[in-house]
Amino acid sequence: MAAVLPYTDDNIDLAAGALRSGGVVAFATETVYGLGADTFNESAIGKIYELKQRPVRNPLIAHVIDLPTARRVSTGWTRRAMKLVSACWPGPLTLILPRNPAVPLAATGGLDTIAVRSPKHPLARSLLYAMGGPISAPSANRSGGVSPTTAQHVASDYRQHTNLMVLDGGPCVLGIESTVVDLCESKPVVRRLGVVTIEQLSELLGAIEVDMPTEQTASPGSDLRHYAPSVPATLVAREELAAALAAGEPAAVICLPGVHIEVGSGHIRFEMPPDADGYAAHLYETLRRADAAGCGRIVVELPAQRSGVWSAIVDRLRRATSA
Ligand code: TXA
Ligand code: MG
């Protein structure tokens, strides 16, 4: 089992030392747990790809403590970028900017652009501060799997890696990955939905576009099937739930309040919080529990709402359930 370490000054120093000497460390952020390495150390970056079994063309997010560090990894700090940073950093917003040539191509999947984010979680910030430089980190799941929102999730994903340090910052309060906005096009383009909503971004920037991978356009690393449990999962509207459950073997059912499941039917019910923030915070944890429930399938109720954070939740549910 990977080693789960409590959030103490000594453990932060230990992890920062490991990062500075080219190691990989898992750590809490407010969105999901990340698997980090020194952005400027090509061989350390290589270890992330190896551990995650991530396609090498899938670029990483550089995590930074502040704007001066962001400038060490990126250029193109226009007024538009500054406006986003003043409103949303530290927090769950990732910007795509031109890559500073000092950053090895290995850290950006070979791209001339780089994703940058300043996380809000105190543990992530302490680690960045102690490390003294940017930390490139994807979500700490195995490639294609469900993102981890607790240190225990990471430890169980890397069961065989007994020397992987996992800094435990408790359950992630937001629970889904950051919103990704690409500022390298003439208009800002949202590449991934998250807790920073389209509504908030439009208010800050005016016209924005949304362009996310679909089955037709999916490029390596942005596959539609992502965040997926190992058991087959389907997404069905409430009106079709009863028929879907009647039609097959017992299921782990992830639903909103108000769905009744017959006692003795063999189905196992996982009730989600009715509000978007609560739903997002528990989404991945629930997908993992449903996956481990011992049923042959997972059936997820498709939430009816689409405003604000719900659009990001529905996006993740579609990916988790796409065949
Ligand atoms: O909340 C988060 O963003 C978490 C925590 C750990 O910070 N990290 C995370 O990283 O979700 P990852 O690697 O799982 O997702 C990064 C996303 C991917 O969809 C990737 O394709 C996109 O950001 N991305 C990274 N660099 C990019 C670039 N230069 N151009 C376009 N997309 C990029
Ligand atoms: Mg990920």
Side-chain angles (χ1 to χ4, degrees), residues 29 31-35 52 54 58-61 63 94 96 108 111 113-115 117 137-139 141 176-178 180 182 191-192 221-222 226-227:
T29 83
T31 58
V32 300
Y33 275 69
L35 194 61
K52 265 197 74 129
R54 182 173 172 108
N58 191 349
L60 305 178
I61 299 176
H63 294 70
T94 296
I96 312 280
T108 64
L111 296 173
T113 56
I114 187 163
R117 149 170 137 82
S139 52
N141 50 289
I176 56 174
E177 304 82 351
S178 60
V180 177
D182 188 342
R191 303 275 183 208
R192 183 171 72 186
S222 56
H226 211 107
Y227 320 105

Side-chain angles (χ1 to χ4, degrees), residues 43-285:
S43 85
I45 295 291
K47 292 180 193 167
I48 294 180
Y49 283 89
E50 203 182 300
L51 261 177
K52 265 197 74 129
Q53 290 154 353
R54 182 173 172 108
V56 290
R57 304 212 66 80
N58 191 349
L60 305 178
I61 299 176
H63 294 70
V64 297
I65 186 125
D66 55 14
L67 195 57
T69 315
R71 287 178 180 276
R72 289 178 60 200
V73 300
S74 57
T75 64
W77 283 90
T78 57
R79 281 187 46 210
R80 209 162 64 171
M82 293 303 298
K83 206 166 175 180
L84 286 179
V85 160
S86 324
C88 303
W89 277 14
L93 181 70
T94 296
L95 307 184
I96 312 280
L97 290 166
R99 176 178 58 92
N100 187 317
V103 175
L105 281 166
T108 64
L111 296 173
D112 282 330
T113 56
I114 187 163
V116 194
R117 149 170 137 82
S118 190
K120 192 170 187 154
H121 196 298
L123 185 152
R125 299 196 69 74
S126 311
L127 183 64
L128 286 164
Y129 184 76
M131 155 71 178
I135 301 175
S136 288
S139 52
N141 50 289
R142 298 269 186 179
S143 192
V146 177
S147 297
T149 55
T150 67
Q152 288 67 34
H153 292 164
V154 184
S156 86
D157 282 2
Y158 296 95
R159 224 170 273 118
Q160 292 84 357
H161 296 267
T162 45
N163 48 15
L164 175 68
M165 280 188 237
V166 185
L167 288 171
D168 188 354
C172 301
V173 289
L174 301 179
I176 56 174
E177 304 82 351
S178 60
T179 305
V180 177
V181 180
D182 188 342
L183 295 179
C184 297
E185 308 283 340
S186 53
K187 261 195 212 139
V189 185
V190 175
R191 303 275 183 208
R192 183 171 72 186
L193 300 172
V195 171
V196 174
T197 62
I198 303 281
E199 291 89 334
Q200 282 170 276
L201 292 170
S202 307
E203 209 160 290
L204 286 165
L205 298 177
I208 53 169
E209 286 172 13
V210 180
D211 183 17
M212 292 182 310
T214 64
E215 247 145 334
Q216 285 73 42
T217 65
S219 57
S222 56
D223 305 345
L224 190 64
R225 184 173 165 83
H226 211 107
Y227 320 105
S230 54
V231 168
T234 51
L235 190 59
V236 294
R238 180 166 296 195
E239 309 78 72
E240 290 146 26
L241 207 51
L245 293 180
E249 60 181 315
V253 186
I254 299 176
C255 59
L256 285 159
V259 169
H260 175 73
I261 286 174
E262 210 69 50
V263 178
S265 62
H267 302 307
I268 303 175
R269 187 172 178 278
F270 294 86
E271 182 175 309
M272 299 301 289
D275 62 298
D277 291 345
Y279 194 114
H282 290 97
L283 173 57
Y284 289 146
E285 179 233 315

